Amino acid sequence: MVGCQQTTPEFDLVIRNGTVYDGLGGTPANVDIAVKGDRIVELADRVAGRGKTEIDAAGMAVAPGFINMLSWATESLIEDGRAMSDVYQGVTLEVMGEGWSMGPVNSDMREAMLKQQYYGPYEIEWTTLGEYLEYLQARGIAPNVASYVGAATVRMHEVGLEDRSATADELLRMQELVRQAMREGAIGVGSSLIYAPGNYADTAELVALVGAAAEYDGRYISHMRSEGDRLLESVEELIDISRRTGAPAEIYHLKVAGRQNWGKMDAVFELVESAQREGLAITADMYTYPAGATGLDAAMPLWVQEGGTEAWIERLQDASIRKRVVLEMESVDVDWENLALHAGAEGVLFAGFRNPELRAYVGKTLAQVAAERGTSPAETIVDLVIEDGSRVETIYFLMSEENIKRQLARPWVSFGSDAGALATEGVFLDYNSHPRAYGNFARVLGKYSRDEGVIPLREAIRRLTSLPASNIGIRQRGALLPGYFADIVVFDPETVSDHSTFEEPHQYSSGVRDVFVNGEAVLRDAEHTGATPGRVVRGPGWAGWD
């Protein structure tokens, strides 16, 4: 038409008028952000060019996508790639691998995994960790994914489920599995040392595995041997592994468990910060609740669990073994981490059973169930494991609110949900999740930053973004800078809130309006778009880096 000019949009996305937090802790600025393809290409007071999509973020905070440093979305993303509970909080990267990773697997491990699937049946179409991550990407996922390789996983691959030291040849093969995972993009080695078979590894074995990862600039991250009675010794072991390998090390879900141990927090801070002054890169992550969630395996001695779930349950049905197990569970003088003892029967809450006949106990405490059944708490735990044929999903109230706030105030602490990425529908409703699955990140921004002033908003955002990105050694994510991937969150700092509770956990957080992953909207106007642009985010040792 004569006299009309048509201009082609210069950008795919322009976010205007928002208060931009760069993720690095800098002063927020009222600038526009332009995105082309999957990258941020410009930040300016006023971006002159138009975008195919224009977002008005007036009155909103604009931040890098949040990083979940401890994700158990390994199976939930297979069931539902939308990652609803995390996307509604602004999470754009799930970091997996707490001791157990989805690869490498051999035939025996594959058979066991097929029997123990949590949310629903799926085929195991991979052998290595890298193949699993690529399987997720090909299947379609909303967030990005990354993973450590599990120390317990490579042990199971070569040693099996026996409680013994690895032979020299087995250890060499385990190291080579770690190297392969690193070349495929693993972040490093993750351990979980209160559980069988991870606990069967001594420090020397862990040093050998982490040392192999360190050849590729890999990291170490650990659910330590104790978070209670032997907490300080466990922190010292983690620091020693870092010192001996040169690998940065992180404490998974930092906590002090058990009232009798709550006073140890200052000593933990001193151990970590002394190591930092020495030049070691020691950090931690946490979830923002006074309770943890795991299984009843964390309430039983490790020796009875040798050989895996079936062997464990078979032993428990032997009267003499059962008697010994119950005596150890009721003793305060043991050399293993008994979370039920730390929490007390009133502080153990049942969250999920495989056996439908037991699901009436979901939401009840161990004290209540023991009273209903007329058995002691220890006897009840043993019976439920046998009857359910599983470890039984359990919530343990272990921590103090004061210590949670003190941890939050530490500049080297980031955040992880220690949970799957769930939805308020379908198979997920068969289990009462821990509220951290739905609220951990919103709780940092709302309850602890805005409402209680524990940390300023820009510092909270740094701990959700650039700090974890730096700790895992990934490139061009975790900050709003030109050339960085366009993982972006737009949220209302005045209303962002968690709503999930222990009584009613399946409730999404609110206040996050828009979420972009690699430049594509997965949440618009607080509604999931169904888009699945998530990719594998690879660590520093990936063979594909230039």
Side-chain angles (χ1 to χ4, degrees):
M1 182 181 297
V2 177
C4 264
Q5 285 187 327
Q6 290 188 346
T7 58
T8 302
E10 185 177 350
F11 306 110
D12 293 305
L13 170 68
V14 177
I15 301 174
R16 300 189 187 276
N17 306 318
T19 302
V20 174
Y21 292 78
D22 60 11
L24 302 171
T27 302
N30 295 109
V31 296
D32 295 348
I33 302 175
V35 173
K36 198 165 188 176
D38 61 1
R39 304 276 182 153
I40 297 168
V41 294
E42 184 180 347
L43 288 90
D45 289 340
R46 178 68 182 178
V47 168
R50 293 192 306 113
K52 293 178 184 175
T53 299
E54 295 256 344
I55 301 291
D56 183 2
M60 309 294 280
V62 183
F66 304 147
I67 297 175
N68 184 349
M69 270 300 296
L70 202 184
S71 171
W72 274 109
T74 46
E75 291 186 76
S76 62
L77 283 175
I78 297 174
E79 175 67 21
D80 186 346
R82 296 175 299 169
M84 298 284 281
S85 62
D86 272 359
V87 165
Y88 270 100
Q89 297 181 80
V91 171
T92 60
L93 173 59
E94 309 276 358
V95 184
M96 307 164 179
E98 186 198 0
W100 165 263
S101 55
M102 295 292 273
V105 297
N106 59 27
S107 57
D108 288 343
M109 295 167 72
R110 180 177 279 106
E111 182 178 346
M113 289 168 68
L114 288 171
K115 291 179 181 178
Q116 296 167 13
Q117 292 173 351
Y118 197 68
Y119 296 113
Y122 57 86
E123 295 300 320
I124 300 174
E125 300 176 12
W126 61 87
T127 299
T128 71
L129 177 58
E131 289 169 354
Y132 161 75
L133 294 171
E134 290 169 357
Y135 163 86
L136 283 183
Q137 178 175 306
R139 190 176 179 88
I141 48 175
N144 299 310
V145 289
S147 185
Y148 291 82
V149 62
T153 303
V154 298
R155 166 172 262 271
M156 290 170 64
H157 197 283
E158 296 302 320
V159 181
L161 297 167
E162 299 176 42
D163 183 2
R164 64 172 176 82
S165 297
T167 67
D169 285 344
E170 288 167 342
L171 189 56
L172 287 173
R173 292 196 297 271
M174 290 160 65
Q175 287 179 300
E176 191 50 44
L177 288 172
V178 169
R179 294 185 182 102
Q180 179 184 1
M182 294 303 299
R183 290 191 292 268
E184 292 181 334
I187 301 300
V189 171
S191 69
S192 191
L193 302 177
I194 73 164
Y195 304 107
N199 180 268
Y200 302 154
D202 59 17
T203 304
E205 178 176 308
L206 295 170
V207 166
L209 298 182
V210 176
E215 296 169 13
Y216 297 85
D217 197 23
R219 276 74 172 148
Y220 177 55
I221 192 166
S222 181
H223 179 156
M224 302 180 300
R225 292 190 196 275
S226 173
E227 296 170 328
D229 294 344
R230 295 170 308 285
L231 170 62
L232 302 183
E233 296 89 336
S234 298
V235 175
E236 288 170 346
E237 181 186 38
L238 177 132
I239 292 170
D240 181 50
I241 291 170
S242 175
R243 185 181 291 117
R244 291 165 66 179
T245 62
E250 177 148 325
I251 299 168
Y252 267 136
H253 45 57
L254 177 64
K255 67 173 73 72
V256 181
R259 182 179 295 273
Q260 73 275 20
N261 296 307
W262 287 353
K264 295 179 180 179
M265 186 57 78
D266 281 337
V268 172
F269 291 158
E270 177 54 31
L271 283 172
V272 171
E273 290 167 3
S274 176
Q276 291 170 344
R277 291 191 294 271
E278 179 187 333
L280 301 178
I282 309 298
T283 53
D285 55 67
M286 66 178 291
Y287 48 80
T288 51
Y289 297 85
T294 180
L296 292 179
D297 50 343
M300 281 198 207
L302 293 163
W303 61 263
V304 77
Q305 300 176 49
E306 182 180 6
T309 302
E310 292 181 2
W312 172 29
I313 292 172
E314 184 177 346
R315 285 194 192 98
L316 291 177
Q317 295 174 78
D318 179 296
S320 62
I321 292 176
R322 177 192 178 101
K323 182 178 180 180
R324 178 184 167 192
V325 167
V326 169
L327 285 172
E328 289 193 27
M329 290 171 67
E330 294 175 341
S331 172
V332 297
D333 186 23
V334 292
D335 61 357
W336 51 278
E337 190 91 329
N338 186 344
L339 298 191
L341 195 65
H342 286 326
E346 297 80 10
V348 178
L349 185 70
F350 293 115
F353 295 88
R354 292 184 188 275
N355 181 349
E357 294 181 6
L358 298 176
R359 288 180 183 163
Y361 294 144
V362 170
K364 294 184 178 182
T365 67
L366 173 59
Q368 290 170 323
V369 175
E372 284 184 27
R373 296 169 71 108
T375 52
S376 72
E379 293 276 3
T380 302
I381 288 172
V382 172
D383 288 338
L384 291 177
V385 168
I386 294 170
E387 293 169 30
D388 201 52
S390 84
R391 69 178 199 154
V392 179
E393 296 306 309
T394 311
I395 292 169
Y396 297 93
F397 287 84
L398 299 164
M399 290 81 78
S400 76
E401 181 67 20
E402 179 186 357
N403 277 339
I404 290 172
K405 292 178 182 179
R406 297 178 68 210
Q407 292 171 205
L408 272 154
R410 244 49 191 190
W412 39 268
V413 176
S414 60
F415 303 97
S417 69
D418 198 5
L422 313 180
T424 59
E425 59 191 79
V427 68
F428 300 114
L429 299 182
D430 288 341
Y431 304 88
N432 260 21
S433 72
H434 191 297
R436 65 194 182 191
Y438 287 91
N440 192 59
F441 308 99
R443 195 171 176 86
V444 174
L445 300 170
K447 174 180 171 63
Y448 288 110
S449 180
R450 180 192 63 232
D451 298 342
E452 301 191 14
V454 178
I455 49 175
L457 180 57
R458 65 181 179 178
E459 173 65 4
I461 290 171
R462 182 186 73 85
R463 308 265 215 85
L464 288 162
T465 57
S466 67
L467 176 64
S470 173
N471 291 345
I472 59 179
I474 61 173
R475 303 186 183 191
Q476 298 173 333
R477 297 186 193 269
L480 297 180
L481 295 171
Y484 273 51
F485 288 96
D487 298 338
I488 304 172
V489 179
V490 180
F491 69 94
D492 185 347
E494 297 302 317
T495 64
V496 62
S497 299
D498 65 293
H499 304 290
S500 179
T501 65
F502 290 101
E503 295 75 24
E504 297 184 34
H506 293 289
Q507 300 184 74
Y508 295 124
S509 292
S510 61
V512 174
R513 193 188 74 180
D514 306 304
V515 178
F516 299 88
V517 176
N518 300 311
E520 187 170 346
V522 297
L523 197 73
R524 282 298 313 274
D525 296 323
E527 293 292 334
H528 204 296
T529 67
T532 54
R535 300 177 187 169
V536 179
V537 174
R538 293 178 170 87
W542 179 44
W545 291 121
D546 293 336

